[in-house]
């Protein structure tokens, strides 16, 4: 990998765009350890280190996309792959009674890692509120 902020291509097994200074890109590249729960060619999912529910999994596309705000016709297939994985993860985590999926976008939306990701929250009754 190059200097901070430098782009690197094909930096994980499935190929794709990653950023050297992105926390999630480093987790996907196995430079930072995580508790993985799912992986395929397009998606990597791992347990949140500060869970907000009994099950709290982060679902991250392997391709670096900054946020939901930049999903377009050229990369929307990546978000679709994330949702395909979410369904599989929810089943494997025993969330048949339901779960919540959250994507924070931008600073005002509460996004703290600027790599598109989805939170799966479950394992308890969540109630009708958003959080």
């Amino acid at each position: 990998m190059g200097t901070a902020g430098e782009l690197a291509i094909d930096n994980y097994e499935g190929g794709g765009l990653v950023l050297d200074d992105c926390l999630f890109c480093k987790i996907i590249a196995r430079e930072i350890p995580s508790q993985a729960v799912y992986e395929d060619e397009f998606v990597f999912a791992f347990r949140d280190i500060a869970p907000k529910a009994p099950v709290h999994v982060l679902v991250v596309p392997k391709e670096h996309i900054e946020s939901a705000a930049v999903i377009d016709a050229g990369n929307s297939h990546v978000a679709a792959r994330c949702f395909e994985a979410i369904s599989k993860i929810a089943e494997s985590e025993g969330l048949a009674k339901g779960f919540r999926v959250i994507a924070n976008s931008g600073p005002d939306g509460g996004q703290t890692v600027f790599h598109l990701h989805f939170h799966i929250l479950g394992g308890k009754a969540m109630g009708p509120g958003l959080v």
Side-chain angles (χ1 to χ4, degrees):
M1 295 178 106
T3 61
E6 182 179 318
L7 295 179
I9 304 296
D10 293 328
N11 206 24
Y12 67 89
E13 188 174 304
L17 178 68
V18 299
L19 293 179
D20 282 353
D21 62 348
C22 171
L23 174 66
F24 288 168
C25 287
K26 289 180 179 183
I27 289 172
I28 292 164
R30 307 291 199 289
E31 294 174 15
I32 296 174
S34 68
Q35 190 177 358
V37 298
Y38 178 87
E39 183 172 15
D40 66 23
E41 180 181 352
F42 300 97
V43 177
F44 188 75
F46 54 95
R47 298 200 187 282
D48 195 295
I49 62 169
K52 306 297 183 216
V55 174
H56 188 167
V57 174
L58 298 177
V59 179
V60 181
K62 288 182 173 180
E63 178 179 338
H64 185 91
I65 298 172
E66 184 174 296
S67 74
V70 297
I71 294 173
D72 59 24
N75 62 17
S76 62
H77 67 283
V78 174
R81 292 293 188 138
C82 288
F83 277 92
E84 291 171 20
I86 287 168
S87 176
K88 294 174 186 175
I89 294 163
E91 182 178 353
S92 71
E93 293 290 318
L95 302 178
K97 290 186 176 182
F99 57 94
R100 180 167 293 155
V101 178
I102 297 174
N104 300 327
S105 185
D108 285 357
Q111 186 176 8
T112 58
V113 177
F114 290 89
H115 183 131
L116 178 66
H117 59 285
F118 301 92
H119 297 258
I120 301 174
L121 300 161
K124 68 175 187 177
M126 303 297 283
L130 288 179
V131 290

